[in-house]
Amino acid sequence: MPKAGQRHRIGYALEPKKMQSFISPSLLDYASERGVDLIRIDPEKPLSEQGPFDCVIHKLYDPDWKIQLRNFSAKNPNVPIIDSPDSIEQLHNRISMLEVVTKLQISKGFKDIGIPKQVVVFDKEGFVDSVRGLKFPVLAKHLMANGSPDSHKMLLVFDNEGLEKVDTPVVLQEFVNHGGSIFKVYVVGENATCVKRKSLPDISEEKLKTLNGSISFSQISNLATSNAGCDEANVEKVEMPPLGFVVEIARAMREALGLNLFNFDVIRDSREEDRYLVIDINYFPGYAKMPSFESVLTDFFLEIVHEKKCKETGEVADDNVEDTNGEVLS
C-alpha cells in the first residue's frame, strides 16, 4: 500500500469507446483507494503541457500522437510509456503478429505451442496458387488488425468458390477443430490470467461435404445450429491449459513483443491433445472482461511506479509490491 497521502498519477490516452469500457467507476475507485489517480489525457492538446504523470498508458495510433509521445519522452525520459508505438505496430499485421509465436523461447518440458498453417494473399490472382498448401475450411481475415471495422470482418471459407467473396489483401488461416472452446489469456505486465470462452464449433469431415461457399462470422450461429454434435460441447467441462504453461507462454510472448498490455487467443488442437495454437494477439484488450481486472491493473500501475522510483533513486527493486501474477481462472 502507498504511504499516507502519497498519490501516483497515471495518464491515459484512449479513444472514447475504449475509455468508456476501460475507465470504469470500479477501477477508478479501487485504484484511488490504493493511491493511484487515473488522469485523462487530451490528445488534442500538447502532451508536454499536461501532467505531471508517473506513467502514461495509451491506445492511439495516429501519427500526431506518436510525435507527441516522442516529444514527451524527450522531455520526461524517466516517465514510462506503456507501450512503445513501434512495438504495438507488430500487432497491426496478422502475419508479423503470429510470426512472433514461431520464434518463442519456451522452457523444455512444456506442451507444444504453435500457430495454424496460414498464407497471405495480396491480389485475387494469387488465390488459387496460395490455397494449394491449405486444407479447407479456412478462415479469411483482413491482413491489417488495427481496430478498424474492416479488420474485424472474417469469413469461414469452405471451397474455392467461397474465396470469390474474399477481399484482398487477406490472411487465409487453416481452420483447426478445437472442441468449440477458446482460451483467452490476458497479460498485464508479469500477470497472466486465462479464461475460457465458447468458440466456433468443430466441423467433421462428413459435415464438410455438405458445406460450400463461405459464411461470415455473424452467420456462424447458423452453422452451430446445424452442427449439433459440436455445438453441444460443454465449455464449463473443458480442461484449462496448465497454469505453468500459460505463465511461460505469456512471459515469452511479453519479452518477444516488448509489450505489457495485450491478450492472445489460444486453442487446443483436437487432433493432438498436447498441442496448442495461438490464433490472434490484441493490444490493450477489453480488460473489463477479465476477472478482478481492477486489482490486476492497479497492481501493475504500482509496480511501474515502484520501478520508476527505484531507477531515479538508484535503489534495487524488491518484491514488496502486491501482485496477482499467474492467476488462472475459468
Side-chain angles (χ1 to χ4, degrees), residues 42-58:
D42 185 349
E44 300 299 323
K45 298 179 181 179
L47 180 56
S48 58
E49 297 178 6
Q50 302 179 66
F53 301 116
D54 292 298
C55 172
V56 171
I57 62 174
H58 67 104

Side-chain angles (χ1 to χ4, degrees), residues 174-221:
E174 202 170 89
F175 178 79
V176 177
N177 284 337
H178 52 283
S181 60
I182 189 171
F183 306 105
K184 303 186 79 68
V185 181
Y186 294 90
V187 179
V188 182
E190 295 181 359
N191 178 279
T193 302
C194 182
V195 298
K196 54 188 175 184
R197 296 284 185 264
K198 185 176 180 180
S199 182
L200 301 182
D202 287 352
I203 305 174
S204 66
E205 291 292 335
E206 182 179 355
K207 183 64 181 179
L208 186 58
K209 295 176 182 178
T210 68
L211 299 170
N212 53 63
S214 64
I215 57 176
S216 69
F217 270 42
S218 62
Q219 299 170 310
I220 287 298
S221 57

Side-chain angles (χ1 to χ4, degrees), residues 208-270:
L208 186 58
K209 295 176 182 178
T210 68
L211 299 170
N212 53 63
S214 64
I215 57 176
S216 69
F217 270 42
S218 62
Q219 299 170 310
I220 287 298
S221 57
N222 298 333
L223 175 62
T225 301
S226 62
N227 197 18
C230 291
D231 192 43
E232 293 172 358
N234 189 340
V235 177
E236 291 300 320
K237 296 180 181 180
V238 173
E239 182 181 357
M240 296 288 287
L243 170 60
F245 176 67
V246 170
V247 173
E248 174 72 1
I249 295 301
R251 176 203 60 76
M253 198 171 293
R254 180 188 177 215
E255 292 179 358
L257 292 169
L259 298 173
N260 289 279
L261 301 175
F262 63 96
N263 80 339
F264 56 97
D265 295 340
V266 184
I267 59 175
R268 182 189 286 117
D269 191 336
S270 295

Side-chain angles (χ1 to χ4, degrees), residues 66-315:
K66 291 176 64 175
I67 294 174
Q68 287 232 49
L69 281 179
R70 191 180 304 119
N71 292 339
F72 179 82
S73 292
K75 295 181 179 179
N76 303 274
N78 293 327
V79 177
I81 303 294
I82 310 295
D83 281 302
S84 162
D86 291 338
S87 296
I88 295 172
E89 285 183 3
Q90 298 172 86
L91 303 186
H92 290 174
N93 180 298
R94 284 197 164 93
I95 292 297
S96 62
M97 172 199 298
L98 295 187
E99 280 181 348
V100 172
V101 180
T102 65
K103 301 175 183 178
L104 293 181
Q105 298 297 316
I106 307 299
S107 301
K108 293 182 179 180
F110 281 106
K111 296 180 182 294
D112 190 16
I113 187 74
I115 63 174
K117 195 171 184 179
Q118 62 180 22
V119 297
V120 59
V121 183
F122 292 98
D123 58 71
K124 289 279 188 179
E125 295 179 359
F127 269 136
V128 176
D129 291 334
S130 296
V131 299
R132 291 188 193 280
L134 298 181
K135 179 182 177 182
F136 285 110
V138 297
L139 291 168
K141 303 180 178 182
H142 200 278
L143 177 61
M144 302 309 294
N146 53 9
S148 65
D150 286 342
S151 69
H152 295 296
K153 295 178 180 179
M154 300 183 189
L155 291 174
L156 185 57
V157 183
F158 302 106
D159 50 29
N160 284 322
E161 181 182 347
L163 291 174
E164 295 178 3
K165 294 183 179 181
V166 177
D167 295 325
T168 54
V170 66
V171 174
L172 300 177
Q173 190 178 85
E174 202 170 89
F175 178 79
V176 177
N177 284 337
H178 52 283
S181 60
I182 189 171
F183 306 105
K184 303 186 79 68
V185 181
Y186 294 90
V187 179
V188 182
E190 295 181 359
N191 178 279
T193 302
C194 182
V195 298
K196 54 188 175 184
R197 296 284 185 264
K198 185 176 180 180
S199 182
L200 301 182
D202 287 352
I203 305 174
S204 66
E205 291 292 335
E206 182 179 355
K207 183 64 181 179
L208 186 58
K209 295 176 182 178
T210 68
L211 299 170
N212 53 63
S214 64
I215 57 176
S216 69
F217 270 42
S218 62
Q219 299 170 310
I220 287 298
S221 57
N222 298 333
L223 175 62
T225 301
S226 62
N227 197 18
C230 291
D231 192 43
E232 293 172 358
N234 189 340
V235 177
E236 291 300 320
K237 296 180 181 180
V238 173
E239 182 181 357
M240 296 288 287
L243 170 60
F245 176 67
V246 170
V247 173
E248 174 72 1
I249 295 301
R251 176 203 60 76
M253 198 171 293
R254 180 188 177 215
E255 292 179 358
L257 292 169
L259 298 173
N260 289 279
L261 301 175
F262 63 96
N263 80 339
F264 56 97
D265 295 340
V266 184
I267 59 175
R268 182 189 286 117
D269 191 336
S270 295
R271 300 166 299 184
E272 303 178 54
E273 184 178 349
D274 289 336
R275 180 164 173 76
Y276 291 83
L277 303 172
V278 177
I279 59 173
D280 207 3
I281 310 174
N282 304 288
Y283 185 69
F284 210 136
Y287 282 114
K289 299 177 182 178
M290 179 181 73
S292 304
F293 86 100
E294 299 94 342
S295 60
V296 173
L297 266 297
T298 301
D299 285 341
F300 172 69
F301 296 146
L302 290 173
E303 290 167 8
I304 292 296
V305 172
H306 179 65
E307 292 176 2
K308 170 179 176 287
K309 293 198 172 183
C310 286
K311 290 180 180 179
E312 291 174 343
T313 61
E315 298 178 6

